[in-house]
């Protein structure tokens, strides 16, 4: 699986959009970009994933650059409950392989 | 529908004792995964089941660790002769294999070995 690079931490004001970047310059053509988050003392929570098109669901939007070497997770209106560690994972879908979680980005939403 | 459930939520045991951790995956999910997470650390993959078979046991840290899955549903992770370094949160995830295989995680079992 391709390696990902994320900032260690970020802050965001409550009600504003949180934009979390992820670099994955060695991504392969059949690798998807997944985003999970882990709120303190809870199990990881799936957020969204995509291959090359931008994706949106009830939680977030995923913007993938045309060359697929980076992506951004967007939480459109961050709340205090969105404070968590956010993980960007690149992997081949359908291989039933394990999720390789890196260090992630610790997002703190401030009032 | 119901998510992945794990029991117990917390387990405190004495060094040398055996423990069993249980995972109930999402109904219909054929793939099941066990991970562990030590305090402040990332997730460490332990084992993966497809149905009742475990094609990948590479992550089990020692022969004290074993896991089984019966009926293609519930899985049990057993740790024999527990050691203090086994203290961690043990997480279970399931996915609807083979595609898509987005993994959905349970709340975890916090194991403390005294």
């Amino acid at each position: 699986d391709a390696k990902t690079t994320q900032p260690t931490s970020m802050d965001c004001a409550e009600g504003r959009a949180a934009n979390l970047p992820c670099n994955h310059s060695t991504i392969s053509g059949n690798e998807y970009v997944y985003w999970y988050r882990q709120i303190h003392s809870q199990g990881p929570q799936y957020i969204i994933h995509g291959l090359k098109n931008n994706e949106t669901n009830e939680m977030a939007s995923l913007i993938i650059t045309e060359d697929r070497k980076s992506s951004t997770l967007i939480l459109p209106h961050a709340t205090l409950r969105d404070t968590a560690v956010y993980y960007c994972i690149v992997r081949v879908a359908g291989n039933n392989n394990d999720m390789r979680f890196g260090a992630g980005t610790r997002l703190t939403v401030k009032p | 529908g119901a998510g992945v459930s794990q029991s117990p939520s917390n387990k405190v045991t004495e060094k040398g004792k055996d423990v069993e951790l249980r995972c109930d995956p999402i109904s219909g999910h054929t793939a099941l995964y066990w991970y562990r997470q030590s305090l402040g650390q990332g997730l460490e993959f332990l084992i993966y089941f497809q149905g009742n078979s475990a094609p990948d046991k590479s992550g089990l840290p020692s022969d004290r660790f074993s896991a089984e899955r019966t009926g293609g549903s519930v899985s049990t992770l057993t740790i024999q002769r527990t050691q203090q370094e086994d203290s961690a949160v043990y997480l279970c995830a399931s996915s609807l294999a083979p595609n898509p295989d987005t993994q959905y995680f349970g709340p975890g079992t916090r194991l403390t070995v005294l």
Side-chain angles (χ1 to χ4, degrees):
Chain A
D1 291 344
K3 180 179 178 181
T4 61
T5 305
Q6 299 177 252
T8 303
S9 63
M10 292 181 63
D11 291 342
C12 177
E14 187 179 18
R16 304 296 294 268
N19 297 292
L20 294 105
C22 180
N23 288 323
H24 31 78
S25 59
T26 60
I27 191 170
S28 301
N30 61 347
E31 289 182 311
Y32 285 69
V33 180
Y34 285 78
W35 282 85
Y36 281 75
R37 72 179 181 183
Q38 190 168 25
I39 297 170
H40 182 62
S41 298
Q42 297 182 23
Q45 179 187 22
Y46 166 77
I47 301 173
I48 198 167
H49 76 285
L51 183 62
K52 54 184 177 181
N53 296 324
N54 297 338
E55 302 288 344
T56 296
N57 63 20
E58 65 278 6
M59 288 183 68
S61 294
L62 174 60
I63 308 298
I64 302 174
T65 58
E66 191 169 344
D67 63 6
R68 301 186 69 239
K69 293 185 176 182
S70 66
S71 60
T72 302
L73 178 74
I74 301 172
L75 307 178
H77 305 287
T79 71
L80 299 179
R81 289 182 295 180
D82 291 322
T83 293
V85 178
Y86 286 76
Y87 297 96
C88 169
I89 301 161
V90 172
R91 64 191 288 267
V92 177
N95 269 9
N96 297 135
N97 51 337
D98 59 296
M99 289 283 182
R100 305 287 174 90
F101 286 73
T105 295
R106 181 171 297 278
L107 175 68
T108 302
V109 181
K110 298 185 175 181
Chain B
V4 177
S5 61
Q6 294 185 245
S7 61
S9 55
N10 282 283
K11 177 70 177 179
V12 180
T13 190
E14 295 179 346
K15 178 182 174 181
K17 300 283 189 181
D18 298 351
V19 296
E20 284 189 354
L21 312 179
R22 176 187 169 109
C23 172
D24 283 85
I26 294 172
S27 178
H29 281 197
T30 60
L32 186 148
Y33 310 78
W34 283 99
Y35 298 81
R36 73 175 176 182
Q37 187 172 32
S38 300
L39 187 62
Q41 302 297 310
L43 270 69
E44 176 188 1
F45 169 74
L46 298 179
I47 189 170
Y48 142 67
F49 286 90
Q50 177 57 48
N52 292 334
S53 63
D56 188 356
K57 301 181 181 179
S58 63
L60 293 176
S62 76
D63 58 8
R64 296 185 295 105
F65 287 72
S66 63
E68 65 176 14
R69 189 180 185 198
T70 56
S73 182
V74 172
S75 176
T76 303
L77 177 69
T78 301
I79 309 173
Q80 296 177 312
R81 305 181 302 281
T82 53
Q83 304 294 313
Q84 288 182 332
E85 61 263 27
D86 298 334
S87 295
V89 175
Y90 288 81
L91 291 157
C92 175
S94 71
S95 68
L96 183 62
N99 200 351
D101 67 342
T102 300
Q103 295 180 23
Y104 296 90
F105 284 80
T109 293
R110 181 175 298 279
L111 174 66
T112 303
V113 182
L114 301 176

